[in-house]
Amino acid sequence: MGAMEWSGGQAERPGRGRRVLVVGGGIAGLGAAQRLRAHRAFSQLRVLEATARAGGRIRSERGFGGVLELGAHWIHGPSRGNPVFELAAEHRLLREKDLSEENQRMETGGHVGLPSVTYASSGVSVSRELVAETASLFHSLIDQAREFVRGAAAPAPSVGEYVRGALRALAAGWTDREDARRLRLALMHNFLNVECCVSGTHSMDLVALAPFGEYTVLPGLDCTFPGGYQGLTNHIMASLPEDMIIFNKPVKTIHWNGSFQEAASPGETFPVLVECEDGGCFPVHHVIVTVPLGFLKEHVDTFFEPPLPTEKADVIRKLGFGTNNKIFLEFEEPFWEPGCQHIQVVWEDMSPLEDVASQLQDVWFKKLIGFWVLPSSESVHVLCGFIAGLESEFMETLTDEEVLLSLTQVLRRVTGNARLPAPRSVLRSRWHSAPYTRGSYSYVAVGSTGEDIDRLARPLPEDGAEAQLQILFAGEATHRTFYSTTHGALLSGWREADRLIALQDPQAQQPGPQL
């Protein structure tokens, strides 16, 4: 089965200790490794990362004269109790205003703030009053959708169907002129697309209504990292020995419930053998799997041997995992006003109450919710657009030139300026195409529940008769109330490390927040 690979290096401290392998070098895997390394029982510890870099879906790149976040963008709910915020504050990675008590106390309800300007497809800008009024109505419907978690029977399977049903009833009472009514519905359509980006889904019709409110919104005004989100994972990496993480080491199969041996440890047997794509093998006592749910979905039938229990495999298939991408456009001169932070783009022919059948190649750009203005310098002006779902996945198949051309036409149309200079360059994420990710983040899909997240998080084997805690599961998709977030991912890594520590040392004091 290939060469055994557990020799030498940082991990060998005196005494045998438990041998642990972490699969995946994102923030969940790094957090687990850092936590375990602090405990004497885990002297033999490795992290296998399939790609050439750590951080996973945290990915900051230098470009266009600054830092571009191709992955995680904001700290959601930056306040005490959010471990990502606390670590970022400790390492001085945030601005003073983002650390202020005032910012930490802000209650956003998890809603995206109002745009600075809203352009409609007819080339006019929409009044701020109408945008604010429509946003308030939409947010109240989303808030209502979160209430069914309290026990009232959900009147529809999905958030999308619930919102549309409520909207249909409200729209019946509107007395606006037809054009004003269409504009109001077009705004609602955009807000639903924003919610698709937030939930990482193609359509809110795919997001289950009953458990929707289990996702927990922490207080605090969402903030960014001026020097890049990756500064956080770099700090965690710096605390680990250099040779602990092995890069470009994709795992092929995790063999478990076995009795594996190696020449270097005569007489010792290991219940797990991790087999890599290059033929290398690691016999271990425990493996913490932190790979994205998108990867698990694609490889659920081959990644584990013996195969996962039926219930675990079913949960992986049922839970939702979608795509949210970013498109960065660099301009020589800004066409937007000074102080503009967020440009909303609304298509007046789109309505949440109508289904328009059309080819993806003709309309993919209509799913783009708008653009955020990135901090600029004198010579660099950058917009960051967000787009979710199948349209986002289709966008990944286009060339840079095709994307640039389409978005130049969109911007000329919505601004009413046919001579608007084209962006000079484009850069974008492609999370669906990334072979070890296959999308962006998880949601609770129609047909699944919050309990399924807990089932995904349960270690194997479940019966307790065999060697304990052979396979543990971490990553954002395993956190029932903070799925889809970096803090959910980090907490899940800590949770699984603590589970192993408790097995070895039941008296151990667990550090840090246990949210």
Side-chain angles (χ1 to χ4, degrees):
M1 193 174 280
M4 297 294 183
E5 290 202 29
W6 201 290
S7 56
Q10 53 77 28
E12 310 301 334
R13 294 184 200 157
R16 288 206 128 137
R18 307 297 287 175
R19 202 176 272 190
V20 181
L21 198 62
V22 177
V23 179
I27 195 168
L30 294 175
Q34 186 183 45
R35 194 91 143 195
L36 287 172
R37 187 173 180 270
H39 199 278
R40 64 186 180 281
F42 302 99
S43 57
Q44 300 183 67
L45 178 62
R46 288 276 193 278
V47 179
L48 300 187
E49 167 53 46
T51 71
R53 51 171 289 281
R57 286 166 276 172
I58 293 174
R59 182 165 189 171
S60 314
E61 289 196 1
R62 292 249 152 231
F64 298 169
V67 176
L68 304 177
E69 301 287 16
L70 289 173
H73 200 97
W74 287 279
I75 300 180
H76 294 295
S79 52
R80 282 184 196 86
N82 180 331
V84 167
F85 173 73
E86 291 182 347
L87 280 177
E90 181 188 323
H91 295 306
R92 303 196 166 148
L93 300 173
L94 303 177
R95 299 175 191 87
E96 280 303 313
K97 72 177 177 66
D98 297 325
L99 296 167
S100 71
E101 287 294 331
E102 184 187 0
N103 263 38
Q104 291 187 55
R105 281 197 299 268
M106 290 277 282
E107 294 284 354
T108 65
H111 303 306
V112 174
L114 288 177
S116 312
V117 62
T118 299
Y119 291 120
S121 49
S122 58
V124 299
S125 53
V126 184
S127 84
R128 280 187 64 78
E129 291 74 23
L130 180 62
V131 174
E133 181 191 320
T134 312
S136 177
L137 173 58
F138 180 78
H139 292 158
S140 72
L141 294 178
I142 291 293
D143 291 342
Q144 287 167 34
R146 293 194 182 283
E147 290 297 313
F148 294 104
V149 75
R150 301 186 193 283
S158 72
V159 175
E161 287 161 280
Y162 172 74
V163 168
R164 281 206 314 280
L167 191 52
R168 194 171 278 111
L170 287 166
W174 291 348
T175 54
D176 315 35
R177 292 200 329 262
E178 182 58 27
D179 56 345
R181 174 194 176 84
R182 287 207 71 80
L183 185 54
R184 206 182 282 266
L185 287 170
L187 281 164
M188 281 288 184
H189 192 266
N190 175 277
F191 290 132
L192 268 171
N193 285 341
V194 170
E195 208 60 36
C196 288
C197 288
V198 171
S199 286
T201 185
H202 171 62
S203 164
M204 293 309 289
D205 290 5
L206 302 174
V207 179
L209 177 58
F212 187 55
E214 285 191 6
Y215 175 87
T216 302
V217 177
L218 296 174
L221 187 61
D222 291 0
C223 66
T224 57
F225 288 77
Y229 223 123
Q230 223 168 295
L232 184 67
T233 44
N234 289 347
H235 269 285
I236 300 176
M237 289 250 305
S239 73
L240 302 174
E242 258 183 52
D243 60 350
M244 183 179 281
I245 304 180
I246 306 174
F247 292 101
N248 299 306
K249 200 75 170 168
V251 169
K252 179 183 178 187
T253 310
I254 295 172
H255 304 267
W256 60 293
N257 251 357
S259 183
F260 303 100
Q261 296 177 303
E262 66 174 353
S265 306
E268 188 164 12
T269 61
F270 301 89
V272 181
L273 183 76
V274 176
E275 180 188 359
C276 296
E277 293 280 2
D278 64 6
C281 290
F282 295 80
V284 296
H285 298 102
H286 312 284
V287 59
I288 304 178
V289 175
T290 74
V291 300
L293 177 60
F295 178 87
L296 283 179
K297 281 177 173 289
E298 189 167 66
H299 300 279
V300 65
D301 295 323
T302 58
F303 200 60
F304 301 93
E305 181 55 45
L308 291 177
T310 307
E311 183 190 51
K312 179 81 87 176
D314 285 348
V315 160
I316 288 169
R317 292 187 185 101
K318 283 193 300 185
L319 284 168
F321 193 82
T323 304
N324 182 23
N325 274 311
K326 301 178 193 179
I327 306 173
F328 298 93
L329 300 175
E330 182 195 20
F331 293 83
E332 289 198 25
E333 295 294 335
F335 64 82
W336 52 93
E337 296 289 322
C340 177
Q341 293 181 312
H342 170 193
I343 299 166
Q344 182 184 33
V345 175
V346 171
W347 294 88
E348 288 150 292
D349 58 344
M350 304 298 275
S351 162
L353 304 185
E354 295 166 22
D355 277 330
V356 182
S358 38
Q359 297 296 309
L360 271 181
Q361 63 261 32
D362 300 327
V363 296
W364 68 267
F365 47 82
K366 291 188 178 182
K367 191 71 168 281
L368 190 90
I369 60 172
F371 299 90
W372 271 254
V373 180
L374 299 190
S376 65
S377 65
E378 280 181 29
S379 58
V380 183
H381 308 278
V382 182
L383 295 181
C384 171
F386 286 79
I387 181 169
L390 296 176
E391 294 85 353
S392 187
E393 293 169 13
F394 175 77
M395 179 277 296
E396 295 186 26
T397 69
L398 300 175
T399 65
D400 281 353
E401 290 72 24
E402 287 169 321
V403 172
L404 197 71
L405 180 62
S406 286
L407 296 191
T408 300
Q409 290 170 341
V410 166
L411 288 170
R412 285 174 177 169
R413 177 171 173 175
V414 301
T415 58
N417 178 3
R419 303 175 67 130
L420 187 92
R424 63 183 176 195
S425 46
V426 61
L427 195 148
R428 57 204 158 118
S429 62
R430 294 184 180 88
W431 287 108
H432 181 68
S433 309
Y436 303 110
T437 316
R438 306 300 279 135
S440 299
Y441 36 85
S442 64
Y443 60 93
V444 184
V446 171
S448 61
T449 66
E451 272 135 39
D452 289 328
I453 297 176
D454 288 342
R455 288 187 187 106
L456 178 59
R458 258 180 231 144
L460 293 174
E462 291 182 342
D463 55 18
E466 311 292 334
Q468 284 188 282
L469 304 185
Q470 294 176 35
I471 307 179
L472 303 95
F473 294 85
E476 54 83 14
T478 70
H479 198 294
R480 185 161 177 170
T481 56
F482 295 144
Y483 54 86
S484 81
T485 66
T486 52
H487 53 278
L490 179 59
L491 285 165
S492 75
W494 287 353
R495 178 192 69 215
E496 297 312 308
D498 291 345
R499 205 190 294 268
L500 282 177
I501 291 166
L503 179 70
Q504 291 308 303
D505 184 0
Q507 261 53 63
Q509 283 293 305
Q510 308 296 6
Q514 297 295 305
L515 295 176

